[in-house]
Amino acid sequence: MSKAFANLGLNSELLTTLEQLGFETPTDIQTHAIPHVLNGEDVLAGAQTGTGKTAAFGLPMIQRLVTQATVRDEQRNDVLALVLVPTRELAQQVFDNMTAYAQATSLKIVTAYGGTSMGVQTKNLQAGCDILIATPGRLLDHMFCKNVTLQKTQTLVLDEADRMLDMGFWPDLKRILAKMNAERQTLFFSATFDKKIKDIAYKMMNDPKEIQVAPENSTAETVEQMVYPVDKKRKSELLAYLIGSRNWQQVLVFTKTKQGSDALVSELKLDGIKAASINGDKSQGARQKALDDFKQGKVRALIATDVAARGLDINQLEVVVNFDMPFKAEDYVHRIGRTGRAGHNGRAISLMSRDEEYLLEAVERLLDTRLPQEWLEGYEPSLIEDLPEDTNFNKKSRSSDKRRMKAKMKIHANRGKRR
Ligand code: AMP
C-alpha cells in the first residue's frame, strides 16, 4: 500500500482502491489538498487539468462521507455532496473517476447533465444519491422537479470554476447556492484565476486555504510545445502530413468553430486518416461514440471545439494540435492540459497562420514565455498570405510585414528540417 497516500490521512479501504488503480504517489495537488479537505476546511485550488484534481477532492470527500455516516432522509432526496462542472463530458468523466475511487464503499454516486433525457437521472436520484455530479442548468431542472434537495449538502465542489463562470453559469450558480446550507465545506478548483474569479470564490467560501500547485497560468512542464507558422489554406495538408510522417496514433485537434471541426474531418478522411468530430451540434450519443472510438483507437484524430473538449480525459494522450489558435489565451492552457497528464510526456503543436500572430502573442503574455517556433520545409508560410478580409492587416502594413517575414526566413532557414 502506498505510504505516501497513507501519510495524507487516507484510510486503508481507499489505500487498497488506489493500489488497485495503480496510483503509487500522490500528485502535487493531491499532496497539498487532501489533508485540508479531510479536515473539513474550504480550499481554493489553482490546478491545471490533468494534475489529478478529481482524486484531490474526491478521495477525502469519500472518506468523510463514509466516516461521518450521515443519514440521508430517503424521502427528501437529499444529496450529501455536490460536484458542479461546466460540461457534460466533464460530468461523465468525474462520475467515472469518482465511481472508481468509491468502489469499496456503498456510496451512491449519480450524474445529471443536459442533452440526455431527465428520466433515467430522475430514477437514479430518487433511488438515493450521496454524491451528485451535475452541470448547473440540469441540476436546477431537477431541483425544480423536486428530484433533489440541497439543504443537507455538506460539501460543494466547483470544478473548472473559471470556465463555469466564463460560460455564463453565474446566475444559475447563485440560484443553486441560495438553496444550500451555508454551513458547508466549499472546494473551488480552477486552472486559471483572475481577480474576478477570486472575488467570487471568496464570496462563497469561509477562510479558504489557497493552494497553487503550478505558477499561475503556466502549462504543464511535461508538455513539449512547438508553433509551426503556415499559410491558413495549407493547415489541413500540414496536419495530415504531421500525423502520417510522425506516426501519431492518437491526436486531439482543436478548431475554433463547429463547422471547422466537421470540415477538417472530411479533409483528413480524403488523406486516408480516420477522424471524428466532437462539438456542441452533436447529440450526446454521437459525442460519446466519437470519444469511445478515439479512445479505442478506431479513429486517429479527434477534432474538437473548446467547449466540447472540456473534461475529456484520455489516458496518456500523445499530441494536442491547435489547428486554430484559441481566441482566448486561457483556452490554450486548457487545450494543452489534455496531454502530458499525471506526469506523462506530451506534445502540443500549434499551426499558426499570419492573421493569428496576435493570438499567439496573447498566449505568450499569459504564460510569460516565448513558445518555440519552427518553419517546416515545404510548408513555409508565403511572404504575403492571402489575408482574410476581417483581419487588422491593411495594405500599408504589408511592406513592413514583408521585411519582417524576410528577416524571419533568414533565422529559420536552417531550422526547417523535416522531423
Ligand atoms: P484529473 O486531473 O483528475 O482529470 O486526473 C487526470 C488523470 O490522472 C486521470 O486519468 C486519473 O486517473 C490520473 N491520476 C490522478 N491521480 C493520479 C495518481 N496519483 N497517480 C496516477 N494517476 C493519477
Side-chain angles (χ1 to χ4, degrees):
M1 274 190 213
S2 164
K3 244 181 147 178
F5 274 112
N7 288 342
L8 300 177
L10 295 177
N11 63 26
S12 57
E13 213 172 39
L14 283 171
L15 294 179
T16 308
T17 298
L18 291 174
E19 199 175 358
Q20 284 164 2
L21 294 174
F23 289 15
E24 286 166 9
T25 14
T27 63
D28 273 1
I29 186 70
Q30 290 161 3
T31 303
H32 290 96
I34 288 175
H36 292 298
V37 181
L38 268 180
N39 218 6
E41 293 164 84
D42 282 5
V43 170
L44 177 60
Q48 298 155 247
T49 36
T51 51
K53 296 185 283 168
T54 316
F57 64 75
L59 296 170
M61 173 196 284
I62 291 164
Q63 180 158 325
R64 275 166 61 78
L65 288 175
V66 171
T67 46
Q68 288 172 0
T70 313
V71 186
R72 252 189 301 110
D73 179 349
E74 299 284 347
Q75 299 305 313
R76 286 172 31 131
N77 298 332
D78 283 316
V79 164
L80 299 182
L82 172 66
V83 183
L84 286 175
V85 297
T87 64
R88 315 156 189 191
E89 281 79 11
L90 186 59
Q92 189 60 43
Q93 186 61 55
V94 171
F95 172 80
D96 292 344
N97 286 345
M98 291 295 283
T99 305
Y101 302 151
Q103 61 188 252
T105 75
S106 56
L107 291 174
K108 289 184 177 169
I109 307 179
V110 176
T111 185
Y113 48 81
T116 50
S117 93
M118 292 274 287
V120 177
Q121 295 170 7
T122 303
K123 243 170 76 193
N124 290 341
L125 286 168
Q126 285 171 348
C129 167
D130 296 298
I131 303 175
L132 174 62
I133 294 127
T135 51
R138 182 50 69 96
L139 172 61
L140 282 169
D141 294 342
H142 283 295
M143 287 163 69
F144 183 75
C145 297
K146 307 235 177 321
N147 294 333
V148 63
T149 56
L150 304 179
Q151 282 99 336
K152 280 203 176 173
T153 306
Q154 305 160 0
T155 304
L156 166 68
V157 179
L158 287 136
D159 194 10
E160 305 214 349
D162 51 340
R163 177 51 62 109
M164 221 164 346
L165 297 172
D166 264 7
M167 285 166 77
F169 281 130
W170 182 228
D172 285 354
L173 286 177
K174 275 202 288 199
R175 289 173 63 198
I176 294 165
L177 288 169
K179 299 280 179 199
M180 293 187 79
N181 189 348
E183 297 292 308
R184 56 154 203 270
Q185 177 183 40
T186 305
L187 312 172
F188 202 101
F189 285 77
S190 179
T192 53
F193 272 113
D194 60 23
K195 193 177 166 320
K196 190 181 96 199
I197 289 170
K198 265 195 179 162
D199 286 349
I200 288 178
Y202 270 90
K203 268 186 204 144
M204 58 175 82
M205 301 177 92
N206 177 20
D207 190 21
K209 287 277 161 316
E210 266 197 55
I211 299 171
Q212 184 79 51
V213 293
E216 284 195 26
N217 295 329
S218 74
T219 43
E221 275 167 22
T222 49
V223 181
E224 195 184 313
Q225 302 169 70
M226 179 59 77
V227 178
Y228 293 122
V230 60
D231 288 348
K232 196 182 253 331
K233 57 177 183 263
R234 299 199 65 201
K235 279 189 178 184
S236 46
E237 193 191 327
L238 173 56
L239 177 62
Y241 164 73
L242 286 170
I243 292 174
S245 63
R246 298 191 183 175
N247 198 21
W248 291 338
Q249 293 305 322
Q250 205 186 35
V251 46
L252 178 62
V253 182
F254 285 92
T255 58
K256 63 183 172 213
T257 63
K258 300 170 194 170
Q259 296 83 347
S261 67
D262 288 334
L264 186 55
V265 168
S266 311
E267 287 180 51
L268 288 177
K269 279 186 181 160
L270 289 177
D271 281 308
I273 294 167
K274 284 193 182 141
S277 66
I278 182 163
N279 62 47
D281 279 351
K282 309 252 159 176
S283 68
Q284 184 58 23
R287 285 156 72 152
Q288 197 60 49
K289 178 167 186 329
L291 183 58
D292 290 344
D293 284 352
F294 182 61
K295 283 187 173 179
Q296 290 161 18
K298 290 186 194 158
V299 300
R300 227 164 141 182
L302 184 67
I303 323 293
T305 54
D306 288 297
V307 169
R310 296 295 289 187
L312 293 187
D313 178 28
I314 302 141
N315 272 342
Q316 300 182 41
L317 184 58
E318 206 182 339
V319 195
V320 165
V321 173
N322 295 307
F323 186 81
D324 297 310
M325 293 300 290
F327 274 132
K328 289 177 55 194
E330 288 81 8
D331 281 338
Y332 182 86
V333 181
H334 291 301
R335 287 178 176 190
I336 81 162
R338 309 282 136 208
T339 181
R341 310 198 96 186
H344 297 290
N345 286 326
R347 196 177 288 262
I349 304 286
S350 300
L351 309 185
M352 182 189 64
S353 52
R354 293 196 50 216
D355 58 311
E356 293 177 315
E357 282 182 359
Y358 75 101
L359 296 172
L360 174 67
E361 281 164 19
V363 169
E364 292 181 334
R365 264 200 308 279
L366 178 76
L367 303 179
D368 195 22
T369 186
R370 299 296 290 223
L371 296 182
Q373 289 192 27
E374 208 166 272
W375 289 16
L376 275 181
E377 199 180 314
Y379 293 93
E380 300 88 347
S382 45
L383 284 183
I384 299 177
E385 199 189 339
D386 46 341
L387 295 167
E389 297 295 315
D390 60 348
T391 60
N392 295 327
F393 292 88
N394 57 35
K395 285 201 171 119
K396 234 174 158 184
S397 68
R398 288 194 178 186
S399 60
S400 62
D401 282 344
K402 203 168 165 180
R403 276 199 301 278
R404 203 154 53 94
M405 293 300 272
K406 269 190 176 161
K408 262 194 185 175
M409 258 182 112
K410 266 191 197 157
I411 297 168
H412 291 283
N414 299 322
R415 298 172 59 193
K417 295 190 188 85
R418 282 180 192 233
R419 318 162 93 222

